[in-house]
Amino acid sequence: MSFNPTAYNTRQYEVASIGDSPTVIQPGTALKCSGIPTGIFSPDFYYKVGVCAPTDNVFGVVSSQGSAITDKTTSGRVVLMNAGLIPVLTEASGKKLDYLKVSAKDGKWVKCAMGETSEVQLVEDSTAGNLAWAKPIRVTVA
């Protein structure tokens, strides 16, 4: 397994979040923001997030340092896209320097084809269904 959860500390880029549906969202899954904090009492002081689709703007990913995110769990944390590195949950195996985009199925990350716009670039090899470190980068793959 290539992913080392203590290789990079993402804590300074994380925000407390809660799911916008009962779906369990695993670490490394791409997220969209569906609501910002509006109050001082729970659950109003959490960011509300949901699984990201390919057409959504990526807000962040579920932190590998915490638990999965649901609409009931208040311990969920999201690593924002301004972090130096983010953990990504890959749908298929990938190689270092591959460009990835959000999968159409479930917020996992897949390799980009030529002409597609990527969100992140792997900084290590990855295996299907596991976490890998990637750096946020939005480019059109040539």
Side-chain angles (χ1 to χ4, degrees), residues 12 25 29 35-36 38-39 43 58 60 75 85 105 108 118-119 124 127:
Q12 64 187 341
I25 310 171
T29 304
I36 61 172
T38 58
V58 181
S75 61
L85 295 174
K105 291 191 265 184
K108 289 184 180 178
S118 71
E119 298 289 341
E124 65 180 348
T127 55

Side-chain angles (χ1 to χ4, degrees), residues 3 5-15 61-66 77-80 82-87 133:
F3 182 77
T6 59
Y8 183 75
N9 185 354
T10 60
R11 200 65 167 170
Q12 64 187 341
Y13 302 103
E14 295 179 10
V15 293
V61 296
V62 180
S63 174
S64 62
Q65 303 298 319
R77 303 204 48 90
V78 171
V79 181
L80 302 175
N82 66 341
L85 295 174
I86 61 172
W133 286 111

Side-chain angles (χ1 to χ4, degrees), residues 41-128:
F41 299 106
S42 181
D44 294 335
F45 60 79
Y46 294 105
Y47 281 88
K48 290 179 181 60
V49 295
V51 175
C52 194
T55 56
D56 296 328
N57 287 326
V58 181
F59 177 66
V61 296
V62 180
S63 174
S64 62
Q65 303 298 319
S67 60
I69 293 178
T70 68
D71 62 341
K72 303 284 188 258
T73 306
T74 57
S75 61
R77 303 204 48 90
V78 171
V79 181
L80 302 175
M81 291 299 284
N82 66 341
L85 295 174
I86 61 172
V88 295
L89 181 59
T90 57
E91 192 169 283
S93 296
K95 294 288 185 193
K96 182 179 179 179
L97 302 181
D98 280 351
Y99 292 102
L100 304 179
K101 64 176 185 164
V102 178
S103 166
K105 291 191 265 184
D106 50 12
K108 289 184 180 178
W109 298 85
V110 295
K111 188 174 177 180
C112 284
M114 188 182 315
E116 294 179 325
T117 302
S118 71
E119 298 289 341
V120 298
Q121 184 179 32
L122 287 175
V123 296
E124 65 180 348
D125 293 346
S126 67
T127 55

